[in-house]
Amino acid sequence: MKMSQTPERGSKMPTNFTVVKVEDVGDGSNTGAAAGESRPISLDNVFQEERDVDNSQEPESDESHKESTPFINSNNDEGRIYEGKNMALYEEEIDSTPMVASLLSKLANYTNLTQGVREHEEAEDGVRRVAVMVPQMGTFIGVYLPCMQNILGVILFLRLTWIVGTAGILESFAIVSMCCICTLLTAISMSAIATNGVVPAGGSYYMISRSLGPEFGGAVGLCFYLGTTFAGSLYILGTIEILLMYIVPTATVHKDNMRVYGTCCLLLMALVVFVGVKYVNKLALVFLSCVVLSIMATYAGAIKTLIEPPEFSVCLLGNRSLKNEIFPSCAKTEVVKNISVTTDLWKHFCDSEYSNATCDEFFTLNNLTEIPAIPGLLSGVIKDNLWSNYGPANMEIEKKDLPSQSPQIPSNDRNQYFVFSDIATYFTLLVGIYFPSVTGIMAGSNRSGDLRDAQRSIPIGTILAILTSSFLYMTFVVLFGACIEGVVLRDKFGFSVKKTPVIGVLAWPSPWVIVIGSFFSCCGAALQSLTGAPRLLQAIARDGIIPFLQVFGHGKRNGEPTWALLLTVGICEIGILIASLDEVAPILSMFFLMCYLFVNLACAVQTLLRTPNWRPRFKFYHWTLSFLGMSLCLSLMFICSWYYALIAIVIAGCIYKYIEYRGAVKEWGDGIRGLSLNAARYALIRLEEAPLHTKNWRPQVLVLCKLNADLEVKHPRLLSFTSQLKAGKGLTIVCSVLEGTYMTRKEDANLGETKMKVTMAAERTKGFSHVIVSSSLRDGFSILIQSAGLGGMKHNAVLMAWPAGWRQARDSLARRNFIETVRETTEANQALLVAKNIDHFPKNQERLKEGAIDVWWIVHDGGLLMLLPFLLMQHKVWRKCKMRIFTVAQLDDNSIQMKKDLQVFLYHLRLDAEVEVVEMHDSDISAFTYEKTLKMEQRSQMLKEMQLSRTEREREIQSITDVSRGSIKRRKWPVVDSPLNTQSIPEDEAQLIHDRNTASHSVTNEKAAGATPDRVHMTWTKDKLLNERNKHREGMAVKDMFNMKPEWENLNQSNVRRMHTAVKLNEVVVKKSKDSQLVLLNMPGPPKNKKGDENYMEFLEVLMEGLDRVLLVRGGGREVITIYS
């Protein structure tokens, strides 16, 4: 849809659209040649092109945008492209979101390419491009035949007859059924995933990684790569076995023929793949024809047995099968010209050719019997082959229904002429050997880029191929058991039928059809494995999820994965050196089964989660089928080989953890993330069903950070302390507030949050981060305290740094914000932790060699004060510190009994700590306390009354402060009567430390309210003190100017008592805990009357004066520690 003409300026807005024919232009040029091209583009290119156009058209300012729009008279109308003025309502969105018509026209040209399958060509203009052909393959050619070619292979021709003879028809049928059902269920799951959107080339790796995430995708992708690589080893070993056993049996150059010839064959095939994979693709039809002809020859031979069985026969000595390639006739003697002479067989078992020669005792005791190798369908041999014939290694292959006499003294001299089983046989071994014959179901999904309609072809072609191959295998099991003699079936290499493949004996017209067909089939399968495995590794490497595989993402200029091919050849050589097809088969079975297991898991998870994006076109799936397939895969893994299964699981687990720890961060919208979301939602709902018990309480911390001008965390040690406190457990939410409006500071908030995450990673803080924008810091912190967290995962404690510069602030905003935060946390029943000198706290890399964590337990806060040191000491930084608990005894308390009770209490709490009770008796209030109180009230009064500029106000405050400090330094105040270490806090002064949420705090408040000024004593008379002070106050004219009389009687006696408590308690704490690594103190609550807010901060400053690392703790009003188990 496009407008036929742009109207003149000033004309009416058109109201109709005119449909015109437009040509597709590949590169956006106006040349006629370009208009005729149809160039493919990827989805990334589509949207990247939109972004590029947007960036090129982005105006420098609002004014320039207005001038350049076609809705205002401008000279730049022709320079901008719009979808039409009828879309003026969406004018501003056009730059960021394309119109539907333009998007559809670009998506119509989208094609996906197979990874490295097509050769890259040079374009005419010298620029390298990918030459793209429209995918033309349908279901039969693109999916069905490749799957059939991969499924039918070496095991069918070399081991299926032996499996039927050893396991019997019934158990062989069970083996085939289990494996085929496993692959069928996997194919159903794979079809659902493959039809849930476009599947680029990459097959199972792409499907698993995009469904289960990069960790599972990388682990299973590498397992699938190893399975494909060992499959190449299996096919090469099969090729060499056919070559040396049946085609050129005399080509013996070394005792390790399999290893020597296998290595040479591997190098030759790697060279073919390196030269060009297109030659492999051209030979694919030849290899497929060999497989089809071999299968047809086998069926033809089975049908022919109804008319005329083959002439092959088996020679038995007693009931033991003999290797008849070394003698022409199955007899001890024969008549030649009416003369009885010994045969070649006689010469092998006797010491001479004469009839009186000494012969092997078993040869003498038993007769020779010749039976047909292929009795035929109507012979009834199927009854003998129904049951299994397992046995140990090196056991003679015997026909049980024939008579046989064993010698009294067994002789091993002539055993080389009998047919022996080369390995011990049992059911689980046969399962592992057979399973590779049903792999190859991913061939169709690997070619999804070449299919005309991948979402239709992959399910139909793959499932039909599995059903067809399953039918073939099951019919072959029955035909082999019904046509071939049991001793021949158990003869793995065909020694008893003149060293001919057993399936070749059945085939018509000649065994060479099977020999040649199986040889080329194995060659083709090996070449395809060596072609597909490097590309799979290259796809994993290019995804960047495994850092050490990055080098294998590179290759030749045409995209061929050279380095990946070299690694594949190296791993494939390991399988060649094993030199046994029967030992390599279980290895690749493990890796393929693990891959199929995760395909089923991916489908089951996506189905159960019901994510909105899960809309597969293939509807014949169910999560129960996927779980059944997954269970069957896991069972088959341990049935085949439990130790190989464990090794494969360990390898996948190590790769998973490595990707999780070191891999690149990829967001592919995988199902595991959806599973995590569902699990988190379920857990959050369950958490709210019942209140949290005290035994499960742990600090869920909301960390209130400040950002500097560069939007970086101002105090990173706050995050370090959080990680030390949490030790990676529980909830941590790191938040900050920016002043302004969200519309104007959105980018700053995003940038701040990004830098906050970087700091959290550097400080090893595990948790969530969030930066909000609010009109004021106070409102922002209030919002965070109220609403941070979700459901049962809400914070119960707030951690923040002490506002060290509140005295120097130009206004009281910092002080008010802090006090209101304290009030709101208390009201919300949340604990509050305030760290003083947070920048002096240890880093996570530091290790404190010694020292103590001192707890000053003044009032009961629910046990948080005692729990915090225990949590800190779980971290390596504080592990070597010891815990000391100090409590205060008042005048009427029994300090000795208090200490005993506290020790018993700590014993029941299972806490190791030293206990000390500090006695502080009533004492007179010193003049120093009055001086502190006076200075505090002067500052508060001055800030209220002085309406000066910022500079003047700070200068006046500083002058008063300096004079007050000078007066203290010049005068040595008398010491109070009672010694320092015997002083205690009067009950009246307990108002300093109170908590509105506990009963004990309420009692303290009531006592403080009933206190009288009579308890306040002065060691100086009032007149003497006033005279002494006035001697040094002549220079304080500014106080006279504001009429601020430093009269003792004007002081608020409540403030005096509180200051006295702060001073005395600080003296004791400094004396006892000055050298401690950390001091934890009960944090006094702010006064209920907000008029005292200006003095609250001063009390706290005095309380913490002289201490380095201090953590003020205010409980949340509930018990957080218990003595019960």
Side-chain angles (χ1 to χ4, degrees):
M1 300 289 290
K2 186 175 181 181
M3 288 189 302
S4 60
Q5 188 175 354
T6 303
E8 301 273 336
R9 295 187 186 90
S11 62
K12 284 182 63 179
M13 189 73 69
T15 57
N16 296 319
F17 286 106
T18 302
V19 180
V20 297
K21 185 178 181 181
V22 291
E23 298 289 339
D24 291 335
V25 181
D27 57 357
S29 63
N30 295 326
T31 61
E37 296 179 359
S38 178
R39 307 194 181 196
I41 51 179
S42 68
L43 282 173
D44 290 338
N45 294 335
V46 169
F47 297 108
Q48 182 63 43
E49 186 174 298
E50 290 290 333
R51 289 193 291 270
D52 293 342
V53 172
D54 297 342
N55 295 335
S56 64
Q57 294 181 357
E58 186 176 354
E60 296 181 359
S61 63
D62 293 338
E63 290 77 16
S64 62
H65 175 67
K66 291 178 180 178
E67 292 177 1
S68 61
T69 57
F71 306 104
I72 299 177
N73 294 335
S74 173
N75 295 328
N76 297 329
D77 287 358
E78 298 78 12
R80 296 183 62 84
I81 302 174
Y82 284 93
E83 298 293 332
K85 294 182 180 178
N86 282 34
M87 296 298 164
L89 183 61
Y90 300 95
E91 170 194 2
E92 295 183 356
E93 282 81 1
I94 291 177
D95 287 340
S96 58
T97 55
M99 297 300 291
V100 174
S102 63
L103 177 64
L104 291 178
S105 66
K106 291 177 179 178
L107 287 177
N109 291 327
Y110 168 72
T111 60
N112 70 21
L113 304 173
T114 55
Q115 295 175 348
V117 172
R118 299 187 180 279
E119 297 290 330
H120 291 208
E121 298 179 354
E122 294 286 343
E124 293 180 357
D125 56 2
V127 179
R128 291 189 67 83
R129 289 193 180 92
V130 181
V132 180
M133 297 175 59
V134 177
Q136 294 293 333
M137 288 193 293
T139 303
F140 185 76
I141 299 295
V143 180
Y144 181 77
L145 290 182
C147 287
M148 289 294 295
Q149 183 180 356
N150 281 268
I151 292 173
L152 303 173
V154 60
I155 301 297
L156 169 64
F157 299 118
L158 296 183
R159 292 293 183 269
L160 188 58
T161 54
W162 172 70
I163 290 174
V164 173
T166 305
I169 295 176
L170 297 179
E171 292 188 23
S172 299
F173 205 83
I175 292 173
V176 174
S177 299
M178 281 194 306
C179 297
C180 291
I181 291 173
C182 176
T183 55
L184 179 62
L185 294 175
T186 304
I188 292 173
S189 299
M190 184 194 70
S191 300
I193 298 173
T195 57
N196 187 51
V198 178
V199 179
S204 60
Y205 162 69
Y206 182 91
M207 289 187 292
I208 295 172
S209 61
R210 270 57 177 180
S211 298
L212 293 180
E215 292 85 4
F216 278 111
V220 181
L222 280 182
C223 286
F224 190 50
Y225 162 75
L226 292 174
T228 307
T229 304
F230 277 105
S233 302
L234 181 78
Y235 296 133
I236 292 176
L237 290 174
T239 302
I240 301 304
E241 183 177 310
I242 295 170
L243 179 69
L244 297 181
M245 195 70 67
Y246 308 119
I247 299 178
V248 191
T250 58
T252 302
V253 295
H254 193 270
K255 63 179 181 179
D256 292 325
N257 282 333
M258 293 292 287
R259 295 183 175 91
V260 174
Y261 282 100
T263 302
C264 295
C265 183
L266 173 63
L267 295 176
L268 180 62
M269 290 183 177
L271 181 63
V272 173
V273 173
F274 178 78
V275 170
V277 72
K278 59 183 178 182
Y279 302 112
V280 178
N281 291 335
K282 290 179 180 179
L283 292 172
L285 186 60
V286 177
F287 300 143
L288 179 61
S289 302
C290 293
V291 175
V292 174
L293 288 175
S294 300
I295 292 174
M296 293 177 62
T298 305
Y299 276 110
I303 295 173
K304 183 176 177 296
T305 60
L306 293 172
I307 305 170
E308 181 185 0
E311 298 178 356
F312 284 93
S313 61
V314 182
C315 186
L316 302 174
L317 179 60
N319 61 356
R320 297 182 184 178
S321 178
L322 293 173
K323 298 179 180 177
N324 65 358
E325 82 273 9
I326 57 176
F327 50 86
S329 62
C330 181
K332 296 182 179 180
T333 60
E334 60 183 352
V335 178
V336 178
K337 296 180 181 180
N338 295 325
I339 300 175
S340 178
V341 297
T342 57
T343 61
D344 292 339
L345 183 61
W346 179 282
K347 299 174 183 177
H348 287 96
F349 283 91
C350 301
D351 55 6
S352 70
E353 62 182 12
Y354 302 106
S355 58
N356 59 354
T358 303
C359 298
D360 182 81
E361 187 177 359
F362 186 82
F363 182 76
T364 305
L365 294 174
N366 293 281
N367 295 322
L368 289 171
T369 307
E370 189 173 15
I371 59 175
I374 311 293
L377 285 172
L378 302 179
S379 63
V381 72
I382 189 173
K383 297 179 182 179
D384 299 329
N385 294 330
L386 282 176
W387 314 109
S388 60
N389 289 278
Y390 301 119
N394 300 319
M395 184 186 73
E396 298 91 348
I397 295 178
E398 301 174 344
K399 185 174 175 60
K400 295 181 178 179
D401 57 351
L402 286 180
S404 177
Q405 297 182 21
S406 300
Q408 294 180 355
I409 302 176
S411 174
N412 297 325
D413 296 338
R414 314 292 179 175
N415 282 347
Q416 68 268 25
Y417 304 119
F418 294 106
V419 180
F420 288 87
S421 58
D422 59 335
I423 59 174
T425 53
Y426 41 90
F427 179 80
T428 57
L429 172 73
L430 300 185
V431 174
I433 293 175
Y434 173 76
F435 188 81
S437 64
V438 297
T439 60
I441 62 174
M442 301 290 183
S445 62
N446 291 340
R447 296 168 179 251
S448 58
D450 296 326
L451 301 176
R452 186 182 299 114
D453 185 359
Q455 296 194 4
R456 179 179 177 272
S457 298
I458 289 177
I460 296 176
T462 304
I463 293 176
L464 281 180
I466 292 175
L467 293 177
T468 304
S469 60
S470 300
F471 172 78
L472 292 176
Y473 280 122
M474 290 178 182
T475 54
F476 279 147
V477 168
V478 176
L479 288 177
F480 292 160
C483 295
I484 305 175
E485 180 62 47
V487 291
V488 179
L489 286 174
R490 297 196 296 278
D491 184 2
K492 183 187 293 185
F493 302 106
F495 291 125
S496 60
V497 285
K498 300 187 183 300
K499 219 171 187 180
T500 304
V502 176
I503 191 174
V505 177
L506 178 63
W508 180 86
S510 169
W512 283 100
V513 176
I514 298 297
V515 172
I516 301 302
S518 60
F519 177 79
F520 283 109
S521 172
C522 292
C523 286
L527 284 172
Q528 288 189 346
S529 295
L530 292 177
T531 302
R535 280 163 180 76
L536 178 60
L537 180 62
Q538 187 183 44
I540 298 172
R542 286 182 173 176
D543 266 345
I545 59 176
I546 305 178
F548 68 83
L549 291 182
Q550 295 286 347
V551 64
F552 300 108
H554 307 294
K556 294 193 295 186
R557 294 183 62 188
N558 62 355
E560 293 297 319
T562 307
W563 293 107
L565 177 61
L566 291 177
L567 179 64
T568 303
V569 170
I571 298 175
C572 196
E573 177 64 16
I574 297 175
I576 299 294
L577 294 177
I578 295 176
S580 173
L581 187 148
D582 300 323
E583 294 181 11
V584 173
I587 296 176
L588 65 98
S589 295
M590 291 302 113
F591 293 122
F592 278 117
L593 280 168
M594 180 164 286
C595 177
Y596 296 165
L597 184 150
F598 281 100
V599 169
N600 285 294
L601 176 63
C603 181
V605 167
Q606 297 279 28
T607 306
L608 289 175
L609 291 179
R610 298 179 182 176
T611 53
N613 189 56
W614 179 246
R615 303 184 301 275
R617 291 190 178 276
F618 180 77
K619 302 299 183 184
F620 304 99
Y621 70 93
H622 196 268
W623 66 268
T624 54
L625 296 178
S626 299
F627 267 113
L628 180 61
M630 183 177 65
S631 304
L632 191 54
C633 288
L634 187 62
S635 302
L636 286 175
M637 286 177 65
F638 284 92
I639 287 175
C640 294
S641 175
W642 64 268
Y643 49 89
Y644 278 156
L646 291 178
I647 292 173
I649 292 173
V650 168
I651 292 175
C654 292
I655 298 171
Y656 177 94
K657 296 304 294 184
Y658 177 80
I659 297 174
E660 186 180 50
Y661 179 66
R662 293 290 302 275
V665 178
K666 297 286 183 182
E667 180 49 63
W668 289 329
D670 52 89
I672 293 298
R673 185 174 179 83
L675 188 63
S676 300
L677 290 173
N678 269 10
R681 178 185 62 84
Y682 176 77
L684 287 173
I685 293 174
R686 287 293 303 273
L687 280 176
E688 282 198 321
E689 292 179 357
L692 186 68
H693 194 273
T694 302
K695 290 186 289 186
N696 297 324
W697 193 95
R698 66 168 60 247
Q700 316 283 8
V701 183
L702 172 68
V703 185
L704 300 180
C705 293
K706 286 188 178 180
L707 303 181
N708 57 21
D710 296 329
L711 299 178
E712 296 177 344
V713 177
K714 188 175 181 180
H715 301 293
R717 296 288 180 87
L718 202 60
L719 303 182
S720 303
F721 182 71
T722 304
S723 63
Q724 295 162 18
L725 181 65
K726 306 288 292 177
K729 305 295 189 300
L731 175 70
T732 301
I733 307 174
V734 184
C735 296
S736 187
V737 179
L738 299 179
E739 284 190 288
T741 62
Y742 184 70
M743 297 297 292
T744 57
R745 303 209 64 183
K746 175 186 174 182
E747 297 299 328
D748 290 343
N750 293 337
L751 180 60
E753 190 165 335
T754 301
K755 291 186 176 181
M756 186 179 289
K757 289 180 180 177
V758 173
T759 307
M760 290 174 65
E763 301 296 336
R764 299 178 183 177
T765 303
K766 297 180 180 179
F768 308 97
S769 61
H770 193 38
V771 177
I772 67 171
V773 181
S774 178
S775 57
S776 67
L777 293 177
R778 173 70 255 122
D779 292 342
F781 287 137
S782 177
I783 292 171
L784 290 173
I785 291 172
Q786 296 176 55
S787 61
L790 180 64
M793 288 295 288
K794 289 184 70 69
H795 62 279
N796 54 27
V798 177
L799 173 63
M800 59 189 301
W802 173 258
W806 68 275
R807 283 175 173 168
Q808 290 75 29
R810 61 185 177 184
D811 53 28
S812 58
L813 185 61
R815 171 176 57 81
R816 292 202 307 269
N817 287 345
F818 177 81
I819 296 175
E820 288 302 314
T821 301
V822 176
R823 284 198 173 100
E824 288 187 356
T825 54
T826 303
E827 192 66 28
N829 295 329
Q830 296 173 3
L832 178 63
L833 312 177
V834 180
K836 179 191 175 186
N837 295 330
I838 186 62
D839 294 329
H840 296 173
F841 278 55
K843 297 181 180 178
N844 286 326
Q845 294 77 17
E846 296 182 30
R847 301 290 182 268
L848 300 178
K849 302 296 184 182
E850 57 183 359
I853 300 177
D854 287 352
V855 177
W856 284 85
W857 191 21
I858 312 300
V859 295
H860 183 58
D861 60 351
L864 183 59
L865 265 177
M866 289 174 284
L867 182 62
L868 291 178
F870 171 77
L871 295 175
L872 283 175
M873 291 164 62
Q874 306 305 306
H875 196 272
K876 291 179 286 187
V877 174
W878 305 89
R879 187 164 294 165
K880 294 186 178 181
C881 295
K882 62 181 180 179
M883 179 178 171
R884 299 191 302 181
I885 297 182
F886 297 88
T887 188
V888 175
Q890 299 183 19
L891 183 61
D892 53 351
D893 293 329
N894 186 339
S895 59
I896 298 177
Q897 188 62 37
M898 281 182 62
K899 184 174 182 179
K900 291 181 179 179
D901 294 342
L902 183 55
Q903 289 173 338
V904 172
F905 182 55
L906 292 177
Y907 175 79
H908 288 303
L909 290 177
R910 290 91 64 200
L911 294 177
D912 297 326
E914 298 179 6
V915 176
E916 184 172 345
V917 178
V918 178
E919 297 180 349
M920 295 182 65
H921 302 296
D922 292 344
S923 62
D924 293 339
I925 299 177
S926 65
F928 176 76
T929 302
Y930 280 107
E931 183 70 23
K932 279 279 189 181
T933 309
L934 177 63
K935 182 174 63 174
M936 175 184 69
E937 293 195 355
Q938 285 176 346
R939 179 184 294 108
S940 301
Q941 186 68 18
M942 182 178 295
L943 290 177
K944 289 180 179 179
E945 298 183 3
M946 294 175 60
Q947 300 296 328
L948 304 176
S949 65
R950 177 186 176 186
T951 305
E952 293 171 332
R953 183 165 59 188
E954 288 181 351
R955 184 169 62 250
E956 294 297 335
I957 295 173
Q958 189 61 40
S959 64
I960 296 173
T961 304
D962 293 341
V963 173
S964 299
R965 289 177 178 172
S967 65
I968 296 172
K969 292 179 180 179
R970 289 191 296 270
R971 184 177 299 102
K972 294 183 180 179
W973 301 107
V975 182
V976 293
D977 297 336
S978 57
L980 181 64
N981 58 353
T982 60
Q983 295 170 355
S984 63
I985 301 177
E987 294 180 359
D988 307 316
E989 295 155 10
Q991 177 64 23
L992 172 67
I993 303 172
H994 71 282
D995 194 318
R996 288 175 291 183
N997 300 306
T998 60
S1000 62
H1001 300 164
S1002 301
V1003 173
T1004 305
N1005 292 334
E1006 291 172 3
K1007 291 181 180 181
T1012 62
D1014 296 338
R1015 294 288 304 273
V1016 180
H1017 304 286
M1018 297 172 54
T1019 56
W1020 287 21
T1021 62
K1022 187 185 301 183
D1023 294 335
K1024 181 178 179 182
L1025 182 61
L1026 290 176
N1027 292 335
E1028 187 69 17
R1029 287 180 55 83
N1030 288 333
K1031 291 180 182 179
H1032 303 282
R1033 296 294 178 93
E1034 293 84 5
M1036 297 182 62
V1038 64
K1039 291 189 177 182
D1040 296 334
M1041 178 177 64
F1042 291 102
N1043 196 24
M1044 295 179 63
K1045 298 178 181 180
E1047 301 281 343
W1048 291 112
E1049 60 271 12
N1050 291 339
L1051 294 178
N1052 186 309
Q1053 295 304 309
S1054 175
N1055 288 340
V1056 174
R1057 290 194 307 274
R1058 293 169 187 248
M1059 184 62 74
H1060 177 67
T1061 302
V1063 170
K1064 293 303 179 184
L1065 185 58
N1066 174 256
E1067 289 175 354
V1068 176
V1069 173
V1070 170
K1071 180 179 180 180
K1072 297 287 186 180
S1073 304
K1074 185 175 183 180
D1075 297 327
S1076 299
Q1077 298 291 355
L1078 179 64
V1079 177
L1080 281 76
L1081 283 168
N1082 279 118
M1083 181 180 182
K1088 296 181 179 179
N1089 186 356
K1090 292 189 176 182
K1091 292 181 179 180
D1093 286 356
E1094 60 271 9
N1095 302 325
Y1096 175 67
M1097 300 287 284
E1098 190 69 40
F1099 294 143
L1100 296 182
E1101 285 281 7
V1102 173
L1103 184 63
M1104 298 184 292
E1105 191 172 358
L1107 300 173
D1108 185 21
R1109 300 173 185 153
V1110 181
L1111 186 66
L1112 294 177
V1113 181
R1114 185 163 175 76
R1118 63 161 294 169
E1119 293 292 334
V1120 301
I1121 192 168
T1122 178
I1123 63 174
Y1124 300 104
S1125 61

